[in-house]
Amino acid sequence: MKYVFFFNEAGEADIDLIGKKGVNLALLSKKGFKVPPGFIVSNAVFDTIKEDKNIKSMLDKYLGSKDDAILTQIYGKIRKFELSESVMDEIIEAYLSLSVDVNMNVNSMLKSKEEFVAVRSCVVGEQVAKGISHKTVLNVKGQERLFNAIKESFAGNFVIELKNNESTQLSFGVVVQKMIESEKSGVVFSATDDNADKITIKAVFGLGEGIRTGNVFPDTYLVDKKTNEIESTDVAQKQFEYSRDIDTNETVKHRLGEKSLKQVLYDNEINEVARVTKKIVNEFGTEQKVSWAIKGDIIYVIQTKSINDNNDKEDTVEMEILGDASDEEVPDVIDITEPDLEDDLQALDEIEKIEQDPQSEKVEDESLPEIDVIDLDASPVQEEISKDDVVVEPQFHDLVEDKVEEQVEEHVEEQVKDQVEEHVEEKVEEHVEEKVE
């Protein structure tokens, strides 16, 4: 049995194995659109899991009782399921092939590396309920993490569907796609209820998770369908951008500062996104909602779907999978924390150096509570400082007064010393003269 389908080999005939999302990506790739390389894990893998006798028993109990506790057990059981060697071997081979380029030499091909990928679910079958939110796992690297992400996708989406429409007939595939470290990204609607004759483009800096999570207000551009002329440009204040941290490989958000008010797309990029969208609409014959990303001067098509599809809600995005399938608690969507206040810590170090200086004032009360120190000039999150924060600044005027006093004392001591020496010399000379006489 075949478990993996590459984009360039799948087609509409495989829709019962890889779902509509998988078929759309395959068609886009074959038509020459810039689609990040990847493959689809067919629903045969999920169906094997679902047929496990223990999972089937739990499923029967849930359908009879609608007990959410049983749903949790099903979820955990799927995440811990041991995939067969044949399934894992086929997935590993496909995964490692993502790093192979046609221009590579033989030695480079033999040293295939593990790439960062995104793991997205694809429903196989007709959904009953509308607005079901499915998970996407980003920045997955390594074979074990990939297997965990695939099973996480199966488990989460199956439980979500059971909870919402109680259908056991639905099946799932998984799209594994090479990550694009995009500089700009977003979504585009070839038509909307309010603007049927216009293309609506939404754009943010970095990865598109800012739009999907609702944490970033995107720029919005309207383009005339017929003329491709830009009719309006609404530049939003985009507080953050999402990207992969090069040290931790986690997806993080960075504060943009002055860049937040800059327009994301240049006019030529707006025109090109609109042109690509119209071309996709012509290929599929229906209005489309397209996810896109820009890196350098290349516009990548991440996925496309008909605007009239039953499930028209954005995917939920998980930034990372934490731990492994044996963990007791299953993480929800990861909360991205704010950057560390490195500038504040540096300011604190400088103050501590001053306090350790022998000329500076000594703190007599060792029991004073610790104080959070914030350098208002250096802090990148100045606007988040509350009225309760305590701001500590070095008392430089005290240090200057101390230094002046020291210099004055030294000067006075030198003058007194010179006067004493002169007086002694005069007395000695007088005594000598008296002796001589």
Side-chain angles (χ1 to χ4, degrees), residues 91-203:
I91 292 173
I92 290 172
E93 183 179 354
Y95 173 52
L96 294 178
S97 73
L98 296 181
S99 66
V100 176
D101 189 277
V102 293
N103 297 319
M104 281 183 172
N105 56 38
V106 176
N107 289 332
S108 297
M109 288 184 180
L110 293 175
K111 298 177 181 178
S112 299
K113 63 178 181 179
E114 296 176 330
E115 296 282 356
F116 285 96
V117 295
V119 176
R120 299 182 171 93
S121 65
C122 50
V123 177
V124 180
E126 191 64 31
Q127 289 177 276
V128 177
K130 294 182 179 181
I132 301 300
S133 180
H134 294 119
K135 294 180 179 179
T136 293
V137 188
L138 300 183
N139 288 322
V140 176
K141 184 178 182 180
Q143 297 172 23
E144 190 63 31
R145 288 174 62 81
L146 177 57
F147 294 142
N148 286 344
I150 290 172
K151 289 186 288 185
E152 169 71 15
S153 176
F154 286 153
N157 294 319
F158 185 50
V159 167
I160 288 171
E161 291 289 348
L162 280 176
K163 181 70 174 175
N164 283 273
N165 59 39
E166 300 179 4
S167 172
T168 61
Q169 302 305 312
L170 280 176
S171 188
F172 300 93
V174 169
V175 173
V176 179
Q177 204 168 13
K178 191 173 179 179
M179 281 289 300
I180 299 298
E181 298 300 324
S182 54
E183 299 155 7
K184 307 171 182 181
S185 55
V187 294
V188 52
F189 300 84
S190 64
T192 64
D193 292 339
D194 296 331
N195 296 291
D197 59 342
K198 296 177 180 63
I199 294 172
T200 303
I201 301 171
K202 295 185 180 294

Side-chain angles (χ1 to χ4, degrees), residues 12-158:
E12 292 187 59
D14 303 309
I15 193 168
D16 291 336
L17 297 172
I18 61 176
K20 190 178 293 185
K21 183 185 290 185
V23 169
N24 287 351
L25 284 170
L27 293 177
L28 287 170
S29 182
K30 289 179 179 179
K31 293 293 184 178
F33 292 93
K34 293 290 185 181
V35 177
F39 57 91
I40 307 110
V41 178
S42 79
N43 67 336
V45 177
F46 175 75
D47 288 345
T48 300
I49 296 174
K50 194 170 66 171
E51 290 301 313
D52 177 79
K53 63 180 183 179
N54 291 325
I55 294 176
K56 285 184 69 175
S57 175
M58 291 179 183
L59 184 56
D60 291 338
K61 289 180 181 179
Y62 172 73
L63 294 175
S65 66
K66 305 299 186 295
D67 185 353
D68 287 346
I70 299 177
L71 273 185
T72 303
Q73 294 174 5
I74 294 173
Y75 184 92
K77 199 71 175 178
I78 294 175
R79 289 185 73 236
K80 297 177 182 178
F81 188 87
E82 291 291 333
L83 299 173
S84 68
E85 287 190 14
S86 58
V87 170
M88 290 192 293
D89 289 345
E90 197 168 337
I91 292 173
I92 290 172
E93 183 179 354
Y95 173 52
L96 294 178
S97 73
L98 296 181
S99 66
V100 176
D101 189 277
V102 293
N103 297 319
M104 281 183 172
N105 56 38
V106 176
N107 289 332
S108 297
M109 288 184 180
L110 293 175
K111 298 177 181 178
S112 299
K113 63 178 181 179
E114 296 176 330
E115 296 282 356
F116 285 96
V117 295
V119 176
R120 299 182 171 93
S121 65
C122 50
V123 177
V124 180
E126 191 64 31
Q127 289 177 276
V128 177
K130 294 182 179 181
I132 301 300
S133 180
H134 294 119
K135 294 180 179 179
T136 293
V137 188
L138 300 183
N139 288 322
V140 176
K141 184 178 182 180
Q143 297 172 23
E144 190 63 31
R145 288 174 62 81
L146 177 57
F147 294 142
N148 286 344
I150 290 172
K151 289 186 288 185
E152 169 71 15
S153 176
F154 286 153
N157 294 319
F158 185 50

Side-chain angles (χ1 to χ4, degrees), residues 171 330 366 377:
S171 188
V330 180
E366 296 291 336
D377 292 327

